Amino acid sequence: MTAPASRTAPASRTGTADVPGTATPGTDTPLVRFERRGAVAVLTLNRPAVRNAVDSALAAALGAALTELDRDPTLRVGVLTGAGPVFCAGADLKALAAAGVVHDPDHEEWGFAGIVHHPVRTPLIAAVEGAALGGGLEIVLACDLVVAAEDARFGLPEVTRGLLAGAGGLIRLPRLVPVRAAMEAALTGEPVSAATARQWHLVNRLTPPGHALDAALELADRIAAHAPLSLQAAKRLVRASSGGTPDDELWRINAELSARLLASRDAREGMAAFAERRPPVWHGC
C-alpha cells in the first residue's frame, strides 16, 4: 500500500485499534493498547495497578500486538511504553508462583512477555518512564532503540529474589554495555539511573520526566519517513552483527538483502526522487 513519505500522520490511519485477545479477562480493558499514529504504532502495557507486571495474559496481548505491528503494511515503526508512572516492574511474581508461567502458553516460541524471542521485523522503540526492572529491562533490551525520562531506572534485581534474569537480560546486556558494568548490574541487583544508562549507551536519548513518549514519537516519525523494506533490512543486519553471527554469514545476509532491495520498487523510487529533487513516496515493495 502506498503511504506518503511524510512525518505527518494521515488522519484516517490514526486511532486505537482492537487487537484480538488483548483484553483483561472479564472486562473491556485492553492489556496492551494499540494506537495507530500514521505510520507509527504506539503499544502501551496497560496493567498500571501492578506497575505493568507481566503475566501470561499480558504476554499474549503484547505478542499479538507485535504480530499486528508486523502484519500491517502501513506501519513502519513501533513505540512500546507503559501506562502510569512505571514502564514495567518485570514478571508478576504472584502469577509466576501460582501458575509457573508468565509467557503465552499458546506461543511459547515468543518467550517472556511475548517479545524476548519474537522475531519482529519492524523497528521498535522503548519509551521508558519510571522503572524498567527485571523483566521490564529485558523487554527494553528486546527493543531496537530506547528513549528514557531522566528519572527512569534500569536494573536486574533477580539475584535479590533467588532468581535468574533468564529472559535475555544476561545475554543482551553484556552485548550493549561494558561487560564489567553488566557484571555489576547482574551481581548487585541494584538499579542504575537513566544518566548512567545513557553513559553506557543503553539509552539513546534522555528527556525531562513525562516526555519520553513524545521524544520517542519524534524519533519514530524520523525513521518512518524512510523506505520500510530498507528499515527492516537494516534492522536485521545490525541485529545479526551484534548477536555474534559469523562474518561469512553476515556477508551472505548483506549480499542477499542488498540484491533484494536493489530490485525493489522503492529503490527505483528513491533514486528517481533523488534525481528529480522531490520527496520519495514509498510503496513497501
Side-chain angles (χ1 to χ4, degrees), residues 5 31 43 47 61 71 144 160 169 201 208 214 233 239:
L31 287 166
L43 285 62
R47 297 186 75 205
R71 181 181 293 149
D144 303 301
T160 70
H201 302 291
D214 291 339
R239 284 272 181 163

Side-chain angles (χ1 to χ4, degrees), residues 73-166:
T74 69
L75 296 174
R76 299 177 192 166
V77 185
V79 174
L80 178 59
T81 193
V86 173
F87 176 80
C88 178
D92 186 328
L93 296 185
K94 291 183 179 180
L96 182 61
V101 296
V102 285
H103 60 262
D104 180 0
D106 294 328
H107 291 281
E108 294 188 9
E109 72 278 8
W110 289 345
F112 172 75
I115 187 174
V116 299
H117 294 309
H118 201 138
V120 182
R121 299 189 309 274
T122 307
L124 194 60
I125 303 170
V128 181
E129 297 278 354
L133 301 176
L137 177 53
E138 290 173 312
I139 292 172
V140 170
L141 293 172
C143 295
D144 303 301
L145 298 168
V146 183
V147 176
E150 292 167 343
D151 59 354
R153 295 180 300 129
F154 301 85
L156 296 173
E158 281 79 359
V159 294
T160 70
R161 298 291 183 265
L163 301 171
L164 181 73

